[in-house]
Amino acid sequence: MPVLNFSINEIQYKIVYYGPALGGKTTNLRFVHQMVNPEARSELVSAATATDRTLFFDFLALDLGSVHGLRTRLSLYTVPGQVEYERSRKLILRSVDGIVFVADSSAQRKTYNIEALNGMENNLKEYGLSLSQIPWVLQYNKRDLSDVMTVEDMNADLNSLNVPYFEAVSLEGKGVFSTLKAISKMVCRLDTLA
Ligand SMILES: Nc1nc2c(ncn2[C@@H]2O[C@H](COP(=O)(O)OP(=O)(O)OP(=O)(O)O)[C@@H](O)[C@H]2O)c(=O)[nH]1
Ligand SMILES: [Mg+2]
């Protein structure tokens, strides 16, 4: 649910990057943070372990400027992918407006992608939400690996709802902004976003 504040003419949308452990969610946010002009973004807030695994979430705010006369902000969050953090993942999904599901293209990670997607659906259900109602996109990350699944096979596993999907190598920034642009358009219900 977007937060609308008429007194300051502002609307805020929450986008969550969800997916299996080590799929590249934090890497997406790092690249966005690196590329966006500091005046249009916050600092990247990360709570990570010593080995760089997300502990609770990462957070980055973006200012899209004026859209339809309203100052429009995006709050980007990642969830921690490690299995034991289910409670955190559920909490972070609260009041979500749009989701980027970051799947790992490695064939070895196939079942982890499916389990994470099932877990996400269950968590959404507890908030009365379903994947057929909420704007979401898929990112097939790590396309640079040697054992990638085909896009067709990944769609068969993860994309029964036929949502937009993007191939990415987020470590090199490839596909990061096409993914973000697509979900932003969907949550803001815009046809043209620069
Ligand atoms: N080869 C390759 N490695 C990547 C890519 N994107 C991310 N990685 C690497 O994958 C590892 C995990 O990336 P993270 O962004 O920390 O993954 P995450 O999904 O945030 O992981 P959790 O916080 O544990 O859920 C890191 O070593 C990244 O450098 C990619 O496109 N290709
Ligand atoms: Mg992370």
Side-chain angles (χ1 to χ4, degrees):
M1 187 89 79
V3 180
L4 187 56
N5 188 334
F6 280 117
S7 62
I8 52 170
N9 229 23
E10 181 177 295
I11 191 159
Q12 248 184 67
Y13 297 98
K14 177 175 182 178
I15 295 174
V16 175
Y17 284 68
Y18 201 106
L22 299 176
K25 302 174 292 294
T26 299
T27 306
N28 268 267
L29 254 61
R30 283 203 184 122
F31 188 74
V32 173
H33 175 259
Q34 195 183 315
M35 298 307 288
V36 171
N37 183 332
E39 285 162 19
R41 58 145 173 87
S42 69
E43 286 308 312
L44 177 61
V45 178
S46 289
T49 64
T51 53
D52 220 19
R53 308 293 300 274
T54 302
L55 203 51
F56 188 31
F57 60 79
D58 306 295
F59 170 79
L60 176 67
L62 295 181
D63 186 346
L64 296 189
S66 177
V67 178
H68 297 321
L70 280 175
R71 186 166 188 191
T72 302
R73 291 176 186 274
L74 300 180
S75 299
L76 309 183
Y77 288 84
T78 72
V79 300
Q82 292 183 83
V83 272
E84 59 267 37
Y85 297 135
E86 197 61 56
R87 264 173 67 84
S88 302
R89 283 192 287 280
K90 187 181 148 197
L91 267 177
I92 292 158
L93 279 178
R94 204 174 150 189
S95 302
V96 65
D97 294 303
I99 297 172
V100 173
F101 186 91
V102 180
D104 193 321
S105 297
S106 165
Q108 292 179 30
R109 305 297 291 171
K110 175 185 165 87
T111 54
Y112 295 98
N113 291 331
I114 296 169
E115 280 168 17
L117 187 64
N118 289 339
M120 184 172 88
E121 275 197 280
N122 288 336
N123 285 333
L124 286 170
K125 216 180 274 173
E126 299 207 25
Y127 293 119
L129 297 171
S130 86
L131 282 178
S132 53
Q133 305 167 318
I134 191 170
W136 70 289
V137 300
L138 281 154
Q139 183 186 80
Y140 299 150
N141 191 34
K142 304 199 183 181
R143 299 306 297 173
D144 59 319
L145 295 180
S146 54
D147 70 332
V148 292
M149 292 178 64
T150 64
V151 166
E152 290 72 29
D153 284 348
M154 294 193 77
N155 273 329
D157 280 350
L158 307 170
N159 200 8
S160 61
L161 291 171
N162 231 344
V163 299
Y165 60 91
F166 299 89
E167 295 183 59
V169 184
S170 66
L171 200 51
E172 297 168 14
K174 286 185 194 156
V176 169
F177 277 97
S178 42
T179 308
L180 176 59
K181 215 182 258 189
I183 192 64
S184 306
K185 282 183 188 179
M186 287 161 78
V187 299
C188 303
R189 296 196 185 90
L190 293 177
D191 294 317
T192 50
L193 196 69

